[in-house]
Amino acid sequence: FECDSKSRPPWVDKFDYIFGEVLSLCPPPPCYRYQRKYPYAHVGRTLCQPPTRSLTETQYFFVDVSTLSSLGTHYQLRISRVDSFTLHTDKKFSFTASPSQPQYFKYVFPDGVDTVIVKVNSEMTFPCSVMSIQDIQCPVYDLDNNVAFIGMYQTMTKTAAITVQRKDFPSNSFYVVVVVKTEDEACGGPLRFYPLRPDELIDAGNRSKTLDVVVSPAISSDVYVMGMLFCLGIFLSFYLLTFLVACVENKRSVDRPTVVYSKYIISYTRSLESVAGRSRQESLSSIEEDDYDTLADIDSDKNIVRTKKYLCVSDLARKDKRVLSKKYQIYFWNIATIGVFYALPVIQLVITYQTVVNVTGNQDICYYNFLCAHPLGNLSAFNNILSNLGYVMLGLLFLLIVLQRDVIHSRALDRNDLNALECGIPKHFGLFYAMGTALMMEGLLSACYHVCPNYTNFQFDTSFMYMIAGLCVLKLYQKRHPDINASAYTAYACLAAVIFFSVLGVVFGKGNMVFWIVFSVLHILATMLLSTQLYYMGRWRLDSGILRRIVYVIYTDCIRQCSGPMYISRQLITDIHCVVVFCLSRAAYGLLKTPNDFASYLLAIAICNLLLYFAFYIIMKLRSGERIQCMAMVCILFTAVVWGFALFFFFQGLSTWQKTPAESREHNRDCIVLSFFDDHDIWHFLSSIAMFGSFLVSVCLDLVKVIFSDESPFRLFGASEKTR
């Protein structure tokens, strides 16, 4: 290793994060041959006060001064009384500390106060410091090499905050210890080279730090109750609103013959009797002589059907509905199984994390907003966990909505309702069930992540976000392409590959150009293969002759003659996806800047792809002469507004595990709602509502109220008979 300001071996960061000072346990490389030594002209210690048995007792103490110098050393010993040793509630106290002069103070719980929050602030970023909460006992561990032995502690630059509960201190009092470190490495500061000679002294400069400490009462139990009632009230209101809407719709359907079906509907002059006994598979309305020659295999040859210039939904919905229904139900059962096997070890792991935090007292392990982290039992930040309840409750509500629609549709099929059999796009609910389950699992895993958020378990918070984005894309595609949509096994295998790369990116992606090159190349290839699959509707082969065919197409369509693409709409979406969204912005950004948070970067790609395809879906819907109905428009506008506010609170950045724990705490802020919820909790509230609204958009986007009249000479058919 070269001796420079950044020559810290990677194994040091990983092991030091878990086991503490591992440098003393492992053989150091040559650069770390000798520890750095600093000369201090002043050394000061506050003596620990032993228990007094009587007021008249005289206590003695001894001061030992020693030196390793071969020469004599002159010193002066001065003993003074510490007048401001006891901290008072809500009163700020200022003091100065240095590596050779640590400070600690005593706080006694007043009557009626069971929980307090200790805040230490400084205008100076460096030198790096440690704030510790210790029980009243001797000796007090107030040195850099022993401050982590007992109690709770945090490294700090400008701010630190620890919530202290009376039940953890039998004496109803505790010490607030502040130690200034000799190095700034723990707080993200520079680390200079180690000396090559054993007795070389290094000038540490001025490492005195002025700090303020204030102890304030934390929230009472009434605030906990209000916070939980507030959270439940918000999401139960959606249940009530859904129930009222269902009652209104049921009353309107009884008052007039109104049926809710897909918007893909056109008027087609045909007698009802002529089509009453004809099944969808037997309908020939999708076969136009202008599109085909007269061939016997016109109904069975996929190459003929799917390579038509103008495709209809009926061209891509030829399989038996019962077969497709079972195919899409597998999505639900698979994601339920995945959720169980994924969540159980996650829960076990985060319980272990929280136990380690409580036993060791090392609050640098978890990246909370310590200024608004309300403990409950063994949970350090209960508010961040509670705010994830919305994902679970709204996911369950969405499942109930889908179940109601599924039951209504099944009853219509049982009574051979021609409107349910022939009108609108094919109706399959398996992906909807999977989406609702994924939303519930996102809430559970996000709550697990917030038990102890850090870079090693961030995957828990994002894995089902990938699932949700992927399932939403598949659902939009399945609406018009039910026969050729990906199977559950293929879809989940691809999502597993995404999560696998997410893990690799978190572990190896930071500053590793080789990883980013490999990832970008694989991403480009995967995008090209997917785009080709979508453009040709699966009617192409990936074999040894693929390169020859590509060259032939380029020669015939681009060099020999200038031919435009046969499928303009599909070509548009693939061009935008491949060239603009990914190749230019995503891959180039990843190679040039290599973001530290690879998981969020990968999630941003998934969300951008979802938004791109959703916009394309809306544009094609309008281009095909369809109308977006009032209910769908309300859902879209409502969801867009909520997403806007949600992203505002998301980007507040109250903590970040891309930095050191001390630097992360510089972003901490006080609670903003009911003295219980912070900005990130509001993000949880709003994002769960926005996701629920997005799911409703997917449900309502292709619904329209169709009034059937007995006197009308027209028969209403789905756009599967006409519209692309």
Side-chain angles (χ1 to χ4, degrees):
F1 302 97
E2 295 181 359
C3 295
D4 54 29
S5 60
K6 296 183 179 179
S7 61
R8 184 169 177 84
W11 55 268
V12 173
D13 291 326
K14 291 182 174 61
F15 284 92
D16 183 67
Y17 174 78
I18 301 175
F19 299 107
E21 292 295 334
V22 74
L23 286 177
S24 61
L25 306 178
C26 303
C31 294
Y32 301 86
R33 187 180 301 277
Y34 303 109
Q35 293 293 324
R36 285 178 284 190
K37 299 179 180 179
Y38 301 96
Y40 293 106
H42 302 280
V43 177
R45 301 288 300 279
T46 301
L47 300 182
C48 181
Q49 181 182 4
T52 303
R53 288 185 291 271
S54 65
L55 295 177
T56 60
E57 179 184 359
T58 301
Q59 297 180 342
Y60 301 92
F61 64 89
F62 297 89
V63 178
D64 294 332
V65 180
S66 61
T67 178
L68 296 178
S69 175
S70 58
L71 303 177
T73 301
H74 298 280
Y75 68 91
Q76 293 180 347
L77 176 63
R78 183 169 64 94
I79 301 173
S80 61
R81 176 183 176 87
V82 180
D83 295 324
S84 302
F85 183 69
T86 302
L87 300 174
H88 300 281
T89 305
D90 286 332
K91 290 186 178 180
K92 182 186 296 184
F93 178 74
S94 299
F95 62 96
T96 301
S98 67
S100 61
Q101 295 177 314
Q103 302 284 349
Y104 66 89
F105 308 93
K106 182 179 180 180
Y107 179 81
V108 180
F109 281 97
D111 294 337
V113 176
D114 294 326
T115 307
V116 296
I117 179 169
V118 182
K119 302 177 184 178
V120 177
N121 299 291
S122 176
E123 297 294 332
M124 307 167 61
T125 302
F126 296 109
C128 181
S129 308
V130 178
M131 190 258 279
S132 173
I133 303 297
Q134 301 179 17
D135 201 357
I136 302 296
Q137 64 181 23
C138 292
V140 176
Y141 295 94
D142 59 348
L143 294 178
D144 188 13
N145 59 0
N146 63 17
V147 69
F149 284 1
I150 65 172
M152 301 176 288
Y153 64 93
Q154 296 178 359
T155 56
M156 64 166 289
T157 52
K158 290 186 175 182
T159 182
I162 296 180
T163 300
V164 185
Q165 302 182 72
R166 183 196 291 263
K167 66 180 181 64
D168 297 329
F169 297 92
S171 62
N172 293 331
S173 58
F174 57 86
Y175 285 139
V176 179
V177 183
V178 177
V179 176
V180 177
K181 299 178 72 68
T182 57
E183 309 290 347
D184 294 329
E185 178 190 14
C187 297
L191 179 65
R192 292 172 290 181
F193 62 88
Y194 279 86
L196 299 179
R197 294 185 297 274
D199 297 327
E200 181 179 349
L201 297 179
I202 298 177
D203 183 12
N206 182 16
R207 295 194 66 82
S208 296
K209 189 167 187 174
T210 302
L211 305 104
D212 300 326
V213 59
V214 60
V215 183
S216 304
I219 61 174
S220 63
S221 58
D222 294 338
V223 180
Y224 279 85
V225 175
M226 287 297 298
M228 289 185 281
L229 292 178
F230 174 79
C231 184
L232 287 172
I234 288 178
F235 300 112
L236 287 177
S237 64
F238 282 88
Y239 281 78
L240 178 60
L241 180 61
T242 302
F243 177 75
L244 294 177
V245 171
C247 291
V248 172
E249 289 296 326
N250 183 64
K251 185 177 184 303
R252 294 177 63 182
S253 63
V254 172
D255 293 342
R256 61 180 182 178
T258 303
V259 187
V260 179
Y261 287 112
S262 168
K263 174 61 182 73
Y264 268 72
I265 293 175
I266 62 169
S267 297
Y268 195 83
T269 305
R270 182 173 295 181
S271 64
L272 291 175
E273 292 78 7
S274 64
V275 297
R278 182 181 301 168
S279 67
R280 186 185 184 94
Q281 289 78 9
E282 297 172 342
S283 175
L284 302 179
S285 59
S286 63
I287 303 174
E288 302 290 343
E289 293 184 359
D290 295 340
D291 298 331
Y292 295 99
D293 295 328
T294 303
L295 297 175
D297 59 355
I298 194 170
D299 291 323
S300 59
D301 194 329
K302 297 178 182 179
N303 289 324
I304 295 177
V305 174
R306 297 185 192 173
T307 55
K308 291 170 55 180
K309 187 172 182 179
Y310 298 110
L311 275 174
C312 306
V313 177
S314 61
D315 295 328
L316 301 174
R318 293 171 171 265
K319 294 182 180 179
D320 187 271
K321 290 183 177 181
R322 294 170 297 177
V323 175
L324 289 179
S325 179
K326 292 183 178 180
K327 170 186 175 181
Y328 291 118
Q329 286 296 333
I330 296 177
Y331 272 96
F332 167 69
W333 292 113
N334 277 10
I335 201 169
T337 306
I338 292 170
V340 171
F341 282 93
Y342 192 95
L344 290 179
V346 166
I347 295 173
Q348 179 183 6
L349 181 61
V350 297
I351 291 175
T352 303
Y353 264 115
Q354 189 65 67
T355 302
V356 170
V357 173
N358 294 334
V359 171
T360 64
N362 182 6
Q363 297 202 356
D364 283 355
I365 296 177
C366 306
Y367 288 71
Y368 302 116
N369 175 19
F370 288 92
L371 293 178
C372 186
H374 305 300
L376 181 66
N378 291 327
L379 299 175
S380 298
F382 174 70
N383 54 303
N384 291 153
I385 298 172
L386 177 64
S387 58
N388 285 283
L389 183 63
Y391 297 104
V392 179
M393 294 185 65
L394 294 182
L396 178 60
L397 177 59
F398 183 75
L399 289 178
L400 295 176
I401 294 174
V402 175
L403 178 62
Q404 181 207 27
R405 290 176 48 77
D406 193 0
V407 170
I408 293 175
H409 182 66
S410 298
R411 289 175 178 175
L413 294 179
D414 291 340
R415 63 175 181 266
N416 294 322
D417 189 335
L418 291 179
N419 299 323
L421 289 171
E422 297 187 10
C423 294
I425 61 176
K427 300 170 183 63
H428 303 288
F429 300 94
L431 272 168
F432 280 139
Y433 286 120
M435 290 162 59
T437 305
L439 186 58
M440 296 178 66
M441 287 302 305
E442 169 60 25
L444 175 61
L445 294 177
S446 179
C448 291
Y449 164 72
H450 283 283
V451 170
C452 182
N454 56 61
Y455 86 101
T456 59
N457 60 15
F458 183 64
Q459 178 203 353
F460 304 159
D461 195 34
T462 57
S463 294
F464 272 80
M465 293 295 289
Y466 302 137
M467 294 281 192
I468 291 173
L471 291 174
C472 288
V473 171
L474 288 171
K475 183 57 189 177
L476 287 175
Y477 191 75
Q478 181 244 7
K479 285 174 176 285
R480 316 295 161 153
H481 314 81
D483 287 5
I484 61 175
N485 202 23
S487 67
Y489 308 110
T490 302
Y492 289 132
C494 293
L495 292 173
V498 172
I499 295 175
F500 173 74
F501 271 101
S502 175
V503 174
L504 292 181
V506 171
V507 178
F508 304 107
K510 187 175 181 180
N512 191 338
M513 185 57 66
V514 175
F515 168 81
W516 281 98
I517 292 175
V518 173
F519 167 74
S520 298
V521 170
L522 292 178
H523 193 180
I524 291 173
L525 292 176
T527 303
M528 293 176 63
L529 291 176
L530 179 61
S531 299
T532 305
Q533 179 77 8
L534 298 179
Y535 183 80
Y536 289 107
M537 296 294 178
R539 309 315 300 159
W540 69 290
R541 297 189 307 276
L542 181 60
D543 52 23
S544 58
I546 185 66
L547 295 178
R548 177 177 54 82
R549 294 195 296 272
I550 291 175
V551 172
Y552 180 78
V553 170
I554 293 176
Y555 172 74
T556 56
D557 291 356
C558 300
I559 299 177
R560 189 172 181 179
Q561 63 181 3
C562 185
S563 301
M566 179 177 292
Y567 313 110
I568 302 297
S569 301
R570 281 177 262 167
Q571 182 66 42
L572 177 63
I573 187 63
T574 54
D575 287 345
I576 295 176
H577 182 220
C578 293
V579 179
V580 178
V581 174
F582 178 70
C583 295
L584 295 182
S585 60
R586 299 277 170 222
Y589 176 81
L591 284 174
L592 297 178
K593 194 171 181 180
T594 59
N596 295 329
D597 187 357
F598 180 81
S600 297
Y601 167 76
L602 203 59
L603 182 60
I605 293 177
I607 293 177
C608 286
N609 288 333
L610 172 60
L611 294 178
L612 173 67
Y613 186 56
F614 181 76
F616 174 78
Y617 190 93
I618 295 292
I619 292 172
M620 291 303 298
K621 186 178 179 69
L622 297 175
R623 181 186 174 194
S624 300
E626 298 183 35
R627 258 189 329 116
I628 299 178
Q629 298 303 304
C630 180
M631 179 62 72
M633 184 60 68
V634 170
C635 289
I636 291 174
L637 294 178
F638 171 78
T639 303
V641 171
V642 176
W643 268 123
F645 282 102
L647 292 175
F648 171 79
F649 286 100
F650 175 77
F651 287 113
Q652 295 304 304
L654 303 182
S655 62
T656 172
W657 47 259
Q658 290 87 0
K659 300 180 180 179
T660 63
E663 291 174 312
S664 173
R665 274 185 281 275
E666 294 179 12
H667 304 281
N668 289 179
R669 297 181 187 174
D670 292 323
C671 304
I672 60 173
V673 176
L674 299 177
S675 299
F676 191 79
F677 297 111
D678 60 16
D679 298 72
H680 197 73
D681 294 321
I682 305 305
W683 149 255
H684 287 162
F685 291 147
L686 296 179
S687 62
S688 61
I689 295 173
M691 287 184 185
F692 176 71
S694 301
F695 289 1
L696 290 184
V697 170
S698 181
V699 173
C700 300
L701 189 59
D702 294 303
L703 294 181
V704 64
K705 295 179 180 178
V706 182
I707 300 178
F708 296 96
S709 173
D710 295 335
E711 300 177 357
S712 174
F714 298 103
R715 174 70 167 120
L716 300 180
F717 274 76
S720 55
E721 310 295 339
K722 176 82 174 170
T723 309
R724 283 166 280 168

